[in-house]
């Protein structure tokens, strides 16, 4: 660690005394005025005109700390936390403002393609190579995107084939032996059809056990993702496109001497997961004078998994179609439409068993809905958005999701936005909670689980400060969600069980976040953000008193930072990272480990050089401060709990458990890569 800090100090001092101050302030600042977003209102509008605050993330940010997938990359966004849920198989989900992964709706080109099983298992299969930009909406969006968009939306906008380079490559490797390869090709099929083919391969086959607990610190992985998008040129610039993606992954983690011959046995512990996934996404504008669009998507996900000697076999299919009409009437822009989603889910758990438990009964869930939105431009300074969505769930009946948003912008340097909405979500613990599948704990469901319901609101203020030697953008947001019902796994009552039940009380997620962007006259740029959040439940005990409990894996303080210094001759130095304050972790009775994690920072440094021929070479150090969690696995020497009841060797009654995890187990490592773009 000292060696890495010395390198950082030398590079930082050298950059500060560099004589390469040639770029002006205007060349350094981001030109955000013309940025277009679609996520907040389901149609293209300038970011500055949107009544809903939308954060735009481009691959340029991700390239400052290269990662093999979207799951790792979004950790560079303030308030967004990729959470690794298992110390063995490294599956995870994405938290927004402290709310767990299932509250984050992940869209690809506006389609709800990532849900259910893929919320846990499919995120690492989204390569950065297919991403043109990512739009993030923090807060309620149920009136447009369905009743499960309770915590926020991450919309992955894929590259437009017409604007993509003819050939692009991004290949990097780390000192641990990880190898990530991204390739894309653009070609024309006639005068009116353009296609983009992307291939991503991630390979890691070098088991490492630096913490000496007998288990792999990073899962062995072999993953390939193939993406193909077609754009069709039509009369009057009407849009038509279709995209296809295939993902195949084989990953395992476990004891260092595990091999596939032990898959499903109780001799050597391993968690082995085979994932196959197919997706289709389409958009078609009808040939009318009015702007009427139809979107559709379909995904098939197959999961073949063993957690020690506990199997989890599941198949999920989701079909979605929606049509909407975009109509302007004077100062009103009306959006109205209808949608239909059909979900088929089958697995080998009690989730799809008949009431008597004797037969398999796959879940088949149709969900029709209609939505209406009115964006009213009152005058140049005021804009009001009113939205309403109605869904009909066959199990829970009618679902109403209203939304209201307001924007006040007295001038180009000050903008105030406020929004309010409701949330509704049906919980499937076996597709959402990895802990329910590992076999380390028995799953107990005390009562029939009711839908989760919430009320959500946020207040956003954007301030731009411009001077001759500094441009400063401030973006501050306060958020609040109140849950009248929430399903939370109880890890504390019994160390051998996870107990699920409806919340006898209420839950709250509240906080405030600040994003800053500094552009100086010197060739240096800083982006930094900090989030404070308070996420908890209050539930009645046996005496009728309300007991407050902090939510697991929700740090009260967190933040991100990226500092870039540009030297002459297209050389750049990037220093980036994420830090987290204390967060509550699942512990066992009399656990020797702390209930709260320490403050920690995962920092990275990179030096890159661009050449005029389209080639860029980059390299650096990840996890500069060499931080990893301590004792992430309880009783790793007895993963099948064969000796758990021995009072001599196990006087505290500890059980094998992999859920005490809050950060990657990878220590400091170097990386080196090359990019190439040919237009």
């Amino acid at each position: 660690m000292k060696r890495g800090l010395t390198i950082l100090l030398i590079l930082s001092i050298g950059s500060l005394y560099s004589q390469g101050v040639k770029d002006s302030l205007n060349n350094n600042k981001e030109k955000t005025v013309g940025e277009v977003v679609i996520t907040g209102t389901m149609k293209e509008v300038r970011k500055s005109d949107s009544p809903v605050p939308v954060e735009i993330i481009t691959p340029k940010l991700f390239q400052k700390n290269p990662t093999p997938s979207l799951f790792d990359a979004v950790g560079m966004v303030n308030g967004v936390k990729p959470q690794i849920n298992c110390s063995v198989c490294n599956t995870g989900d994405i938290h927004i403002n402290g709310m767990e992964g299932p509250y984050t709706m992940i869209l690809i080109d506006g389609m709800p393609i990532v849900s259910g099983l893929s919320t846990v298992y499919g995120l690492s299969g989204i390569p950065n190579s297919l991403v043109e930009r990512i739009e993030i909406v923090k807060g309620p969006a149920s009136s447009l995107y369905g009743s499960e968009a309770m915590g926020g939306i991450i919309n992955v906008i894929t590259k437009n084939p017409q604007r993509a380079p003819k050939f692009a490559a991004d290949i990097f490797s780390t000192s641990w032996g990880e190898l990530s390869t991204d390739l894309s090709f653009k070609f024309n099929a006639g005068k009116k059809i353009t296609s983009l083919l992307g291939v991503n391969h991630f390979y890691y086959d070098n088991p490492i056990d630096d913490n000496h607990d007998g288990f792999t610190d990073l899962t062995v992985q072999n993953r390939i993702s193939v993406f193909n998008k077609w754009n069709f040129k039509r009369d009057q610039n009407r849009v038509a496109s279709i995209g296809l993606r295939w993902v195949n992954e084989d990953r395992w983690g476990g004891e260092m001497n595990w091999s596939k011959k032990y898959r499903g046995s109780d001799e050597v512990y391993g968690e082995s997961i085979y994932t196959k996934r197919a997706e289709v996404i389409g958009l078609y504008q009808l040939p009318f004078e009015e702007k009427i669009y139809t979107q559709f998507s379909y995904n098939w996900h197959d999961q073949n998994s063993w957690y020690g000697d506990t199997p989890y076999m599941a198949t999920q299919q989701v079909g979605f179609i929606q049509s909407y009409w975009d109509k302007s009437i004077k100062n009103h822009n009306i959006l109205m439409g209808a949608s239909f989603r059909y979900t088929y889910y089958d697995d080998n758990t009690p989730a799809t068993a008949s009431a008597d438990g004797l037969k398999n009964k796959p879940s088949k869930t149709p969900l029709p809905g209609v939505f209406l939105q009115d964006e009213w431009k009152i005058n140049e300074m005021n804009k009001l958005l009113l939205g309403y969505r109605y869904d009909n769930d066959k199990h829970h009946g009618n679902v109403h999701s209203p939304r209201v948003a307001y924007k006040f912008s007295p001038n180009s340097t000050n903008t105030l936005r406020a929004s309010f909405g409701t949330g509704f979500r049906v919980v499937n613990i076996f597709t959402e909670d990895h802990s329910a599948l590992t076999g380390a704990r028995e799953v107990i469901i005390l009562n029939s689980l009711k839908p989760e319901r919430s009320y959500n609101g946020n207040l956003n203020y954007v301030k731009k400060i411009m001077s001759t030697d500094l441009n400063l953008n401030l973006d501050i947001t306060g958020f609040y969600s109140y849950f009248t019902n929430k399903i939370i796994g109880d890890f504390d009552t019994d160390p051998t069980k996870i107990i699920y039940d409806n919340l006898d009380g209420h839950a709250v997620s509240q906080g405030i976040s600040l994003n800053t962007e500094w552009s100086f006259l010197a060739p240096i740029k800083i982006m930094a953000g900090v989030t404070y959040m308070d996420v908890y439940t209050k539930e009645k005990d046996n005496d009728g008193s309300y007991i407050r409990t902090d939510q697991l894996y929700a740090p009260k303080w967190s933040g991100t930072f990226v500092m870039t210094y540009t030297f002459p001759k297209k050389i750049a130095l990037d220093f980036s990272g994420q830090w987290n304050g204390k967060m509550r972790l699942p512990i066992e009775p009399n656990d020797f480990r702390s209930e709260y994690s320490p403050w920690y920072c995962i920092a990275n440094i990179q030096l890159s050089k661009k050449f005029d021929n389209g080639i860029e070479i980059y390299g650096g150090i990840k996890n500069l401060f060499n931080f990893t969690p301590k004792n992430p696995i309880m009783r790793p020497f007895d993963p099948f709990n064969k000796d758990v009841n021995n009072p001599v060797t196990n006087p505290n009654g500890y059980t094998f458990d992999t859920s005490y995890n809050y950060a990657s187990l990878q220590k400091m490592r170097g990386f080196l890569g090359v990019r190439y773009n040919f237009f």
Side-chain angles (χ1 to χ4, degrees):
M1 184 173 73
K2 291 181 179 179
R3 186 178 181 182
L5 288 172
T6 302
I7 294 172
L8 172 62
L9 183 60
I10 293 172
L11 290 173
S12 299
I13 294 174
S15 67
L16 290 174
Y17 283 92
S18 170
Q19 298 300 312
V21 185
K22 295 182 179 179
D23 296 326
S24 68
L25 176 65
N26 290 332
N27 290 332
N28 265 329
K29 68 180 181 180
E30 288 287 340
K31 301 184 182 299
T32 60
V33 176
E35 287 181 321
V36 172
V37 296
I38 63 172
T39 306
T41 57
M42 204 184 284
K43 60 187 177 182
E44 290 192 348
V45 298
R46 290 193 306 169
K47 177 182 175 182
S48 58
D49 291 338
S50 172
V52 178
V54 181
E55 295 184 35
I56 299 178
I57 311 300
T58 67
K60 288 184 179 179
L61 176 64
F62 301 152
Q63 289 173 1
K64 296 180 184 299
N65 177 36
T67 59
S69 72
L70 174 71
F71 175 77
D72 305 289
V74 294
M76 300 181 71
V77 181
N78 183 31
V80 179
K81 182 178 186 294
Q83 174 61 48
I84 298 175
N85 295 324
C86 177
S87 300
V88 177
C89 68
N90 297 156
T91 53
D93 53 23
I94 298 176
H95 296 196
I96 293 181
N97 288 341
M99 299 179 69
E100 301 97 317
Y103 302 95
T104 301
M105 176 170 277
I106 299 177
L107 310 171
I108 297 183
D109 288 337
M111 293 286 92
I113 205 79
V114 182
S115 61
L117 277 175
S118 55
T119 301
V120 176
Y121 298 97
L123 292 173
S124 58
I126 302 177
N128 296 330
S129 60
L130 65 83
V131 178
E132 181 174 289
R133 70 182 187 274
I134 293 175
E135 300 178 2
I136 299 176
V137 175
K138 299 174 183 176
S142 297
S143 64
L144 276 185
Y145 292 100
S147 300
E148 295 184 359
M150 298 174 74
I153 291 175
I154 297 176
N155 191 2
V156 180
I157 309 298
T158 60
K159 289 181 179 178
N160 185 328
Q162 295 175 340
R163 295 194 295 265
K166 293 181 181 178
F167 172 73
D170 190 348
I171 304 170
F172 77 91
S173 181
T174 72
S175 57
W176 273 45
E178 303 159 274
L179 177 62
S180 176
T181 303
D182 258 330
L183 303 173
S184 66
F185 309 85
K186 182 177 76 172
F187 57 92
N188 295 321
K191 295 182 179 180
K192 294 187 177 182
I193 303 176
T194 306
S195 180
L196 179 66
L197 175 65
V199 180
N200 171 266
H201 184 225
F202 180 76
Y203 184 76
Y204 172 71
D205 191 22
N206 180 38
I208 293 175
D209 179 25
D210 273 350
N211 63 356
H212 307 296
D213 61 2
F215 276 69
T216 54
D217 294 340
L218 177 68
T219 52
V220 172
Q221 301 170 54
N222 187 1
R223 177 177 66 248
I224 187 167
S225 175
V226 180
F227 172 75
N228 191 203
K229 186 175 183 179
W230 298 76
N231 271 26
F232 303 88
K233 183 181 287 187
R234 301 173 60 208
D235 294 339
Q236 300 180 8
N237 292 322
R238 294 190 180 100
V239 297
S241 67
I242 187 169
L244 305 96
R245 191 167 72 100
W246 169 259
V247 180
N248 189 89
E249 182 182 57
D250 177 2
R251 71 160 60 196
W252 72 267
E255 294 185 89
M256 291 291 288
N257 60 333
W258 188 89
S259 63
K260 288 189 177 181
K261 69 179 181 180
Y262 297 113
R263 195 171 193 260
S265 75
D266 63 353
E267 296 180 57
V268 180
Y269 188 87
E271 297 186 1
S272 173
I273 301 170
Y274 299 156
T275 301
K276 295 180 180 179
R277 181 172 177 82
E279 301 170 353
V280 180
I281 306 171
L283 169 64
Y284 183 77
Q285 183 178 353
L286 299 182
F288 304 133
E289 289 187 8
E290 298 291 341
K291 295 180 179 179
I292 302 176
Y293 302 85
T294 294
Q295 293 175 288
F296 61 90
S297 67
Y298 168 79
N299 68 80
W300 170 83
H301 188 112
D302 181 75
Q303 198 74 36
N304 181 320
S305 313
W306 283 91
Y307 300 90
D309 57 356
T310 301
Y312 175 62
M313 310 294 172
T315 301
Q316 177 180 271
Q317 299 182 66
V318 180
F320 180 85
I321 186 170
Q322 74 175 7
S323 293
Y324 61 91
W325 179 29
D326 184 0
K327 177 68 174 178
S328 295
I329 305 174
K330 293 185 178 180
N331 292 334
H332 296 264
N333 191 278
I334 310 297
L335 195 74
M336 62 181 72
S339 65
F340 180 79
R341 182 167 65 179
Y342 183 84
T343 303
Y344 171 92
Y345 175 74
D346 188 22
D347 67 16
N348 64 320
T349 76
T352 57
S354 59
D356 57 11
L358 300 178
K359 297 181 180 179
N360 185 46
K361 188 178 180 182
S363 171
K364 302 175 182 180
T365 308
L367 187 64
V370 295
F371 55 89
L372 175 65
Q373 176 180 275
D374 179 13
E375 187 177 331
W376 177 22
K377 186 178 181 180
I378 302 172
N379 53 43
E380 292 300 321
M381 294 188 296
N382 296 274
K383 186 177 288 187
L384 180 67
L385 183 144
L386 301 172
Y388 171 77
R389 184 183 183 95
Y390 166 79
D391 293 301
N392 182 264
D393 187 282
K394 75 172 187 177
H395 300 294
H396 306 288
N398 301 325
V399 182
H400 305 275
S401 303
R403 177 173 73 156
V404 59
Y406 170 72
K407 171 181 170 284
F408 173 66
S409 185
N411 50 53
S412 61
T413 60
N414 292 276
T415 303
L416 179 69
R417 296 178 174 93
S419 61
F420 173 81
T422 63
F424 175 95
R425 193 175 76 89
V426 178
V427 177
N428 185 334
I429 61 174
F430 290 97
T431 64
E432 297 172 2
D433 192 345
H434 168 270
S435 302
L437 304 174
T438 62
R441 296 182 183 229
E442 180 185 1
V443 176
I444 303 295
I445 302 175
L446 293 182
N447 295 291
S448 177
L449 300 181
K450 299 177 181 179
E452 296 187 334
R453 295 181 182 271
S454 70
Y455 300 93
N456 316 279
N458 64 51
L459 185 66
N460 171 256
Y461 175 64
V462 177
K463 174 67 175 178
K464 298 180 180 180
I465 302 172
M466 291 182 246
S467 66
T468 56
D469 56 358
L470 170 67
N471 276 358
L472 173 61
N473 290 341
L474 301 175
D475 189 328
I476 185 169
T477 302
F479 53 90
Y480 182 83
S481 295
Y482 181 93
F483 291 82
T484 57
N485 183 48
K486 195 174 185 183
I487 311 301
I488 302 174
D490 177 5
F491 290 76
D492 302 323
T493 301
D494 188 328
T496 66
K497 301 175 181 178
I498 311 174
I499 303 172
Y500 294 94
D501 197 3
N502 300 298
L503 182 65
D504 187 12
H506 65 271
V508 170
S509 173
Q510 60 186 352
I512 189 168
S513 67
L514 171 65
N515 290 320
T516 65
E517 186 173 333
W518 309 68
S519 296
F520 299 90
L521 180 61
I524 185 170
K525 183 174 181 179
I526 299 174
M527 291 182 289
V530 60
T531 296
Y532 169 79
M533 57 191 177
D534 188 22
V535 188
Y536 63 88
T537 61
K538 281 194 173 182
E539 194 165 13
K540 290 181 180 179
D541 61 9
N542 295 331
D543 299 327
S545 300
Y546 282 97
I547 303 297
R548 173 186 163 124
T549 305
D550 291 339
Q551 181 175 290
L552 294 171
Y553 307 112
K556 288 191 179 295
W557 291 95
S558 63
T560 59
F561 57 89
V562 178
M563 291 178 278
T564 299
Y565 191 94
T566 305
F567 296 89
K569 299 183 179 180
K570 299 181 180 180
I571 298 175
L573 177 69
D574 298 302
F575 180 51
S576 63
Q578 309 88 39
W579 56 271
N580 288 280
K582 294 182 178 181
M583 66 184 85
R584 193 172 78 90
L585 303 171
I587 59 172
E588 300 193 4
N590 302 314
D591 204 317
F592 64 90
R593 303 169 300 183
S594 173
E595 185 179 4
Y596 286 85
S597 67
W599 287 69
Y600 68 93
C601 176
I602 305 296
N604 317 282
I605 191 167
Q606 172 185 263
L607 190 65
S608 60
K609 162 66 177 176
K610 292 183 179 179
F611 297 89
D612 293 335
N613 58 3
I615 294 177
E616 179 182 1
I617 298 175
Y618 59 90
I621 301 172
K622 290 178 177 288
N623 196 3
L624 197 60
F625 302 141
N626 207 29
F627 175 83
T628 55
K630 295 181 179 180
N631 302 305
I633 301 176
M634 176 65 81
R635 286 179 63 83
F637 51 85
D638 187 21
F640 296 100
N641 289 322
K642 294 181 178 180
D643 196 37
V644 72
N645 295 317
N646 189 324
V648 177
T649 59
N650 190 25
N652 292 304
Y654 295 149
T655 60
F656 174 72
D657 187 48
T658 65
S659 60
Y660 188 89
N661 194 9
Y662 51 91
S664 171
L665 296 177
Q666 287 186 281
K667 292 187 175 181
M668 183 191 298
R669 59 206 182 278
F671 65 92
L672 183 65
V674 60
R675 297 188 186 97
Y676 176 67
N677 289 285
F678 175 72
F679 287 89

